[in-house]
Amino acid sequence: MISPRVLRVVLIVLWIGLLVWSGEGRAETVYVQAKTAQLRAGKTSLDAVVGNVKFGDALEVVGRDGSWVEVKTSAGAKGWIFANKTSSSKPSGTNDTLAKLGQSMRGNDASATTASAGARGLDKASEGYANRAGVSARDRDAVDRMTAYQIPDQEVEEFLREGGLGEYAK
Amino acid sequence: MNMRSNHGLTATLIALSLTVAGCAEVQRASEDIARQSGNPRLAGAIHGVGNVVGSLFPIGYEEESSIGQAMALQVVARYGGVVDQPELVRYVNLVGRAVANTSDRPDIPYRVAILEHESINAFAAPAGYIFVTRGLLKQVRNEAELAAVLGHEIAHVSQKHILDVIQRSKRLAGVTEAGLSYATSNPAAFKTVIDGAVKKLLDEGLDQDKETEADTIGEVFATRVGYDADAYVNLLTRLRDLKGDDRALFKTHPNFSARIEAVQKTIQSKHLVATGVLLPERFARMAKRI
């Protein structure tokens, strides 16, 4: 029969071991909180790009230094990412799980009435609305052009670089 | 109990239980079973169950996109059309994209249009349709202020503030059907929903707590890119000097003093930095075209 004193010591040792194990074994994770982001070889925007990640990707934190976080991707690639492009909580995204589930249950009734971003032409629902509301051809064309308006990501990146914004801050 | 009702009961039970569990494919299969067993009314009922259960969930992006586009039509129509100056439009869109790309909802397309109107105003319709008036742009002194204005509108989109308005507008229009199929099956109801939402957006305004939330979250979005944290306070202060607190910039928003205080509290609590990045020269090059 184990004495209560020995049992207490064993429990304390086990508890301490569990604390040490959980602290070492649970790496910090951050998520990409930007449409896209680049992993760089060093912690400046001048360092070479070594990889690309996208919104919602989980990254294991290896280290931190100022405005930069050193991370490892699930594929094992390592690099530095600008800290403002990460979040400690997982972003829900455009259609969170509940919205997707709801749409799935309703069936894809919206598909017949919507157009994908970037495609020209008002969708069927808006076209019907424009007819009923008497929206002019000029205003329809304005919204049509607005819907289709796109700027490539590289041009946005160049705009940030020119302005010394984001990871290009001086 | 005959064979037909057995099929029906089975189909109903499967549909109810698995619809709740999220198995839309099985729900559709149950509809088919009911139809094949010669009971179209039951098939319709199962479809209805799916719709009702589906309506309890948030609006998805496809539906949001369609509603946003229809609302955009009305905003453009009521504000006299849009400015057709490609370089200026490109510039405001670049600032908008810079802010949106590191917002809390960067994975949808955002587009900014300049309304041909001298009032001082800005709006956001669902799915990333953002508008600023020519009158508002005339009050802006630098790119950081513009980024903060756009940050406010992007926050309305990221927080899905307008979708709450849509849900309310649907209820007021008596639309119980979930999804967008009513837009084609009952276009009059769709028009009522859109008109109700536009009225709320342009005439009555969103709830004041949502405006405050958009101010504070938009401030965070703009500063994430590196714009100076004091820029928005400077703009709001100048507008208060211009318009006074009795008559807020947008009749639909809280008064300026309350907004300035809320933004200043956010700057302090979140340690947002006055980086000095205002970019007045880049803005001035474009401002000549306003």
Side-chain angles (χ1 to χ4, degrees):
Chain A
M1 180 119 180
I2 303 170
S3 74
R5 197 174 162 189
V6 172
L7 188 62
R8 204 160 49 234
V9 170
V10 169
L11 282 174
I12 289 170
V13 169
L14 280 174
W15 180 243
I16 291 169
L18 187 66
L19 283 178
V20 171
W21 174 81
S22 62
E24 286 180 351
R26 198 182 58 225
E28 184 191 356
T29 301
V30 291
Y31 300 89
V32 179
Q33 179 65 70
K35 194 179 170 202
T36 57
Q38 294 168 326
L39 297 185
R40 294 184 181 275
K43 51 202 169 189
T44 75
S45 59
L46 300 174
D47 285 291
V49 175
V50 294
N52 289 287
V53 285
K54 62 181 191 308
F55 181 61
D57 283 354
L59 306 169
E60 186 187 319
V61 175
V62 178
R64 288 178 182 274
D65 193 343
S67 303
W68 293 81
V69 187
E70 190 178 18
V71 294
K72 192 161 88 176
T73 67
S74 56
K78 273 172 81 172
W80 291 84
I81 183 170
F82 190 57
N84 277 7
K85 290 188 170 179
T86 67
S87 163
S88 57
S89 54
K90 189 171 170 49
S92 59
T94 286
N95 269 351
D96 57 27
T97 310
L98 278 180
K100 279 179 184 159
L101 188 57
Q103 188 165 306
S104 160
M105 285 177 183
R106 294 189 292 260
N108 281 331
D109 52 7
S111 300
T113 52
T114 57
S116 61
R120 287 303 299 265
L122 297 179
D123 65 40
K124 206 172 159 188
S126 299
E127 189 73 48
Y129 175 79
N131 291 337
R132 284 192 161 254
V135 177
S136 71
R138 181 200 69 172
D139 295 340
R140 291 179 198 214
D141 185 57
V143 173
D144 184 12
R145 278 184 286 122
M146 188 182 182
T147 303
Y149 196 85
Q150 288 179 331
I151 297 179
D153 286 341
Q154 309 91 285
E155 290 181 30
V156 179
E157 209 60 28
E158 189 51 39
F159 183 75
L160 292 171
R161 191 196 313 272
E162 282 172 8
L165 293 162
E167 62 199 82
Y168 307 100
K170 288 148 192 162
Chain B
M1 197 180 276
N2 62 27
M3 193 72 166
R4 184 170 141 170
S5 53
N6 268 340
H7 275 305
L9 183 63
T10 309
T12 308
L13 287 174
I14 292 171
L16 277 172
S17 56
L18 292 173
T19 294
V20 171
C23 298
E25 295 302 325
V26 179
Q27 177 203 326
R28 279 190 277 279
S30 307
E31 281 179 54
D32 290 343
I33 291 171
R35 223 169 266 120
Q36 282 159 15
S37 65
N39 199 339
R41 280 181 66 190
L42 180 66
I46 293 169
H47 184 77
V49 168
N51 260 357
V52 169
V53 175
S55 72
L56 301 174
F57 294 91
I59 290 175
Y61 181 70
E62 265 193 304
E63 185 179 356
E64 181 185 351
S65 176
S66 229
I67 289 167
Q69 193 178 61
M71 287 181 72
L73 284 165
Q74 195 57 255
V75 172
V76 170
R78 280 189 49 182
Y79 274 76
V82 299
V83 170
D84 188 17
Q85 291 176 253
E87 283 194 54
L88 183 58
V89 171
R90 180 181 146 78
Y91 175 70
V92 293
N93 272 281
L94 279 166
V95 178
R97 279 283 303 278
V99 176
N101 279 2
T102 45
S103 72
D104 287 350
R105 199 183 179 198
D107 57 336
I108 63 166
Y110 289 83
R111 320 86 166 170
V112 187
I114 304 165
L115 294 166
E116 192 64 89
H117 206 272
E118 292 304 320
S119 65
I120 300 172
N121 238 325
F123 307 104
Y129 286 90
I130 290 170
F131 300 93
V132 291
T133 59
R134 189 187 279 277
L136 175 56
L137 286 183
K138 283 180 179 173
Q139 299 300 323
V140 171
R141 295 250 173 97
N142 54 56
E143 189 173 304
E145 291 181 1
L146 175 60
V149 168
L150 297 177
H152 174 104
E153 301 307 327
I154 289 164
H156 278 312
V157 177
S158 76
Q159 301 307 108
K160 303 186 179 179
H161 287 160
I162 305 106
L163 294 188
D164 292 345
V165 173
I166 295 291
Q167 296 280 30
R168 247 180 283 168
S169 190
K170 275 175 106 168
R171 280 197 295 275
L172 285 172
V175 176
T176 52
E177 193 178 335
L180 249 194
S181 55
Y182 75 98
T184 42
S185 65
N186 188 357
F190 184 65
K191 182 174 181 300
T192 305
V193 170
I194 298 301
D195 288 349
V198 169
K199 186 179 175 198
K200 182 78 178 157
L201 181 69
L202 301 187
D203 303 328
E204 298 167 2
L206 302 174
D207 298 339
Q208 297 221 341
D209 58 339
K210 287 185 174 161
E211 291 300 343
T212 304
E213 188 177 55
D215 269 342
T216 55
I217 293 178
E219 170 77 4
V220 172
F221 290 169
T223 54
R224 267 186 201 162
V225 194
Y227 289 111
D228 191 298
D230 289 337
Y232 197 32
V233 171
N234 293 340
L235 174 65
L236 291 174
T237 304
R238 219 165 47 247
L239 291 173
R240 181 178 62 185
D241 294 345
L242 184 73
K243 296 278 190 180
D245 255 348
D246 293 337
R247 190 173 165 276
L249 162 63
F250 318 117
K251 59 187 173 184
T252 52
H253 289 58
N255 71 47
F256 288 117
S257 295
R259 297 179 68 183
I260 291 165
E261 191 184 337
V263 174
Q264 282 173 329
K265 275 185 184 165
T266 303
I267 291 171
Q268 283 168 8
S269 65
K270 295 194 177 294
H271 310 291
L272 305 180
V273 184
T275 55
V277 177
L278 298 167
L279 302 176
E281 297 86 6
R282 188 154 77 170
F283 180 80
R285 282 201 294 276
M286 287 298 146
K288 289 181 202 155
R289 302 166 198 272
I290 298 169

